[in-house]
Amino acid sequence: MPLANCTTPANGNEREQVIPLLDKVKLKTLKRGRPRKRIKVLAADKGYDSKQKRADLRKRGIRPQIPKRVWKTKKNRGRPIKISVPRFQQERCFAWYQRKYRRLVVRWERQKVYFDAFIDLATIHIWINKILLVG
């Protein structure tokens, strides 16, 4: 389920957007007080694999669940990473956006504010459907 959204230029580096996107996430719990801002595990694909990002996530108390990039010259060393979240679950959100919200597949809006508003509406719609079907 999408927790936060961020729109960036197409020629930008996605790895640089991980930490600012995590700063936008606020998890509400049933307990009183300030909302929890930290998720426990971040599952991502191989494109986000870097030592610096892993260190930044561990410093924040988040366990990175990112498969290592496999180079053809190097052999796999150590234990293989346990992937408890399959790849299709990570990419499901993009598939929902493409299937249900065709306007978001191709960016028709010229201003970023309008496109962000449509993404926020789609995220709200996904959460409302999830809450109504489960609860």
Side-chain angles (χ1 to χ4, degrees), residues 18 35 83 87 122 131:
V18 172
I83 300 176
R87 170 97 172 128
I131 291 170

Side-chain angles (χ1 to χ4, degrees), residues 1 25 31 43 55-56 77 86 114 117 129:
M1 298 300 294
V25 174
K31 299 176 183 175
D56 290 343
R77 297 171 130 188
Y114 301 136
N129 285 339

Side-chain angles (χ1 to χ4, degrees), residues 15 46 49 68-76:
R15 275 189 236 152
K46 292 180 185 180
D49 181 32
K68 300 220 184 235
R69 292 187 195 179
V70 178
W71 302 102
K72 292 182 180 180
T73 58
K74 291 186 178 180
K75 292 188 174 186
N76 294 339

Side-chain angles (χ1 to χ4, degrees), residues 18-126:
V18 172
I19 302 301
L21 191 62
L22 286 175
D23 290 337
K24 291 182 180 181
V25 174
K26 291 185 176 90
L27 299 175
K28 298 255 183 180
T29 59
L30 298 176
K31 299 176 183 175
R32 294 186 325 187
R34 193 168 36 167
R36 202 174 61 140
K37 291 188 76 166
R38 189 171 44 130
I39 58 175
K40 293 179 182 178
V41 178
L42 177 72
D45 58 356
K46 292 180 185 180
Y48 295 97
D49 181 32
S50 71
K51 290 181 182 178
Q52 182 64 35
K53 291 301 169 211
R54 287 178 186 272
D56 290 343
L57 290 172
R58 285 191 187 107
K59 191 185 299 181
R60 290 173 171 253
I62 301 171
R63 184 172 61 92
Q65 192 174 23
I66 306 168
K68 300 220 184 235
R69 292 187 195 179
V70 178
W71 302 102
K72 292 182 180 180
T73 58
K74 291 186 178 180
K75 292 188 174 186
N76 294 339
R77 297 171 130 188
R79 280 192 317 216
I81 187 170
K82 180 184 175 190
I83 300 176
S84 62
V85 179
R87 170 97 172 128
F88 72 90
Q89 289 181 1
Q90 295 173 18
E91 298 293 330
R92 185 183 300 164
C93 180
F94 297 119
W96 282 338
Y97 284 146
Q98 289 178 356
R99 186 186 64 196
K100 291 186 176 182
Y101 314 104
R102 297 188 71 179
R103 185 176 188 128
L104 297 177
V105 176
V106 177
R107 185 173 169 180
W108 297 104
E109 290 76 25
R110 294 183 182 258
Q111 294 186 4
K112 180 182 177 282
V113 178
Y114 301 136
F115 187 73
D116 287 341
F118 279 114
I119 287 189
D120 290 340
L121 285 173
T123 304
I124 290 168
H125 190 253
I126 288 172

